[in-house]
Amino acid sequence: MPDLDLSITICSWNTVDDLRLCLQSLESVRDEAAFEVIVIDNNSEDASPDMVESEFPWVRLERLSRNLGFTGGHNYAVNLRKAPDIFYLNSDTIVHPGAILTLVTYAKEHPEVGVIGPKLLNSDGTLQFSCRRFPNPVAAMLRNTIFGRLFPKNRYTREYLMQDLDRGAPSKVDWVSGAALYQTKALFDKIGAFDEEYFMFCEDTDLCFRSWQANYEVHYVPDSVITHACGRSTDKAPNRMIDRHHRSMLLFYRKHMLPKVTPLARPFASVLAYCALSVRSGLYLVNNKVDVVRRWMTRGVHNDR
C-alpha cells in the first residue's frame, strides 16, 4: 500500500441511504489522492454496517456496541488511522470531484493552516453558511428563534454567518462546520482531536478555537465543494438534539468565554449564560412546534383538494 495522504473518518448512526451515497461519491474519487476511509458505526439499527461491509469492502468498518456520539466516534477512528492528516466527514455528504485533491494540496501548500473547511452546499445546490465567526450572545438569541423571524436581516446574524464574505477565494475564518472538517497532523500533534466533553455539537467550534490558540489558522477553501444534506441523524430525535446543542453551547461558553470575564463577575456571568441559553432552547422548541403545525396545516389543505 502506498503512503497515505489522508484518513477520512465517518461517524454513522442510522443513516444507511445517505451513507451509501457518501461512500459512492468517495469511491468515484479514489484516484485523486491516497486516502483511506474509516466508518465508525455508532450502534445503528438500520443495517447500515451490513451495507458498508457488503457494498464497500475497501472501507474499514468498525461496529461499536454503544453510541459514543459524534466526537467519541470520530476520535475512535482517529486512533485507528494510518495517514497523517484527518478529514472528519458526515455520513450525509456527497463529495464532488476535485474536493479531496484540493484539500490535500491546500494543506501541503499552507503549513500555517491547521483546519480547512470546504464549501458546503445544500441538497438543492444553494450555499450553506458553513464558515462563521465565533458565537456571541446577541446572534445566539436571534439565530433560529422567534426573534430571528421578527428580525431576519439583523446585522448580528449576518456577521455571525459571515454572509458578506467573498466566497470565491480562500479566506481566514473563525471556525468551519464539522460536517466536513480537515485537520492537519501538525495541529493534531499539538492539540489532539475533538474534545469528548462535547457528545455532539460545538465540537467543531471548540476545535477551531483551540487551533487559533495554538497559532494555527482556520481557512475556508471554496474550490473544494461538498453537498451536505444536513441533520439526517439529528432529525430522528429533534428535541433531544436541541437539549444537547444548548448544553454544548454552555460548555463552550464556560470553557472559552467565561475565563475572559473578571473573577468577581464570573458567577453572575455563568448564571446569566445558563438562563439565556435556557430561554433560547425554549424558543428553539417553540419554533420547531410552529414549523410542525405549519407543515400539518399545509398537508391538510392539500388533502382537502
Side-chain angles (χ1 to χ4, degrees):
M1 178 184 291
D3 290 339
L4 294 174
D5 295 311
L6 183 65
S7 291
I8 301 175
T9 69
I10 300 173
C11 188
S12 174
W13 182 66
N14 295 324
T15 57
V16 60
D17 294 329
D18 291 301
L19 180 58
R20 177 183 287 112
L21 293 175
C22 177
L23 294 177
Q24 286 174 347
S25 72
L26 287 168
E27 191 167 44
S28 70
V29 298
R30 289 180 70 187
D31 61 341
E32 287 188 8
F35 65 82
E36 65 173 343
V37 176
I38 305 171
V39 171
I40 302 297
D41 183 78
N42 261 332
N43 198 25
S44 295
E45 300 173 348
D46 65 350
S48 48
D50 294 335
M51 178 275 295
V52 174
E53 190 171 65
S54 62
E55 298 180 25
F56 303 94
W58 56 275
V59 170
R60 177 166 184 176
L61 170 68
E62 294 290 330
R63 301 170 184 252
L64 302 186
S65 59
R66 64 188 181 92
N67 190 339
L68 296 183
F70 184 88
T71 55
H74 276 296
N75 286 1
Y76 190 98
V78 165
N79 290 329
L80 300 174
R81 80 189 196 282
K82 298 177 180 177
D85 290 358
I86 308 158
F87 188 36
Y88 308 100
L89 188 65
N90 270 25
S91 60
D92 57 357
T93 58
I94 295 176
V95 176
H96 293 217
I100 300 298
L101 177 60
T102 297
L103 293 172
V104 170
T105 302
Y106 194 89
K108 290 179 178 178
E109 294 177 350
H110 296 82
E112 75 279 9
V113 177
V115 173
I116 308 168
K119 178 191 287 185
L120 296 187
L121 302 177
N122 295 306
S123 297
D124 61 2
T126 56
L127 179 72
Q128 279 186 22
F129 294 106
S130 58
C131 59
R132 304 179 182 184
R133 299 192 190 284
F134 288 123
N136 67 76
V138 178
M141 291 303 294
L142 290 170
R143 174 90 174 127
N144 291 329
T145 66
I146 292 174
F147 294 142
R149 291 178 184 269
L150 295 174
F151 307 101
K153 296 183 179 180
N154 68 86
R155 71 178 181 87
Y156 299 101
T157 299
R158 291 187 61 83
E159 289 175 357
Y160 170 65
L161 296 177
M162 304 187 75
Q163 291 181 344
D164 298 325
L165 177 72
D166 176 10
R167 296 178 188 268
S171 305
K172 293 181 187 179
V173 297
D174 284 358
W175 67 279
V176 295
S177 170
L181 187 153
Y182 190 112
Q183 182 184 16
T184 65
K185 180 181 184 299
L187 178 63
F188 174 81
D189 288 344
K190 199 162 186 180
I191 69 168
F194 289 129
D195 181 347
E196 292 186 28
E197 278 196 87
Y198 303 90
F199 184 83
M200 61 191 306
F201 301 118
C202 298
E203 72 291 319
D204 43 13
T205 318
D206 175 88
L207 183 69
C208 292
F209 193 95
R210 289 186 287 127
S211 180
W212 282 108
Q213 284 184 319
N215 296 317
Y216 282 91
E217 298 177 0
V218 178
H219 285 199
Y220 172 75
V221 179
D223 287 342
S224 175
V225 181
I226 291 176
T227 295
H228 176 215
C230 209
R232 298 293 197 178
S233 289
T234 56
D235 285 350
K236 300 179 189 300
N239 291 345
R240 188 170 60 190
M241 294 304 103
I242 289 172
D243 178 65
R244 284 202 180 278
H245 191 185
H246 287 82
R247 287 176 183 271
S248 292
M249 291 173 70
L250 184 61
L251 174 60
F252 179 84
Y253 174 79
R254 286 176 171 168
K255 182 178 177 182
H256 296 300
M257 302 298 168
L258 196 59
K260 299 178 182 179
V261 178
T262 57
L264 287 176
R266 282 178 195 170
F268 173 76
S270 183
V271 171
L272 183 63
Y274 176 83
C275 293
L277 286 171
S278 296
V279 171
R280 186 185 187 277
S281 179
L283 291 172
Y284 214 120
L285 288 168
V286 169
N287 195 58
N288 271 8
K289 292 292 185 182
V290 170
D291 287 341
V292 169
V293 171
R294 183 180 290 111
R295 288 195 296 269
W296 178 80
M297 293 178 66
T298 301
R299 282 199 301 269
V301 170
H302 290 318
N303 290 338
D304 288 341
R305 290 178 180 173

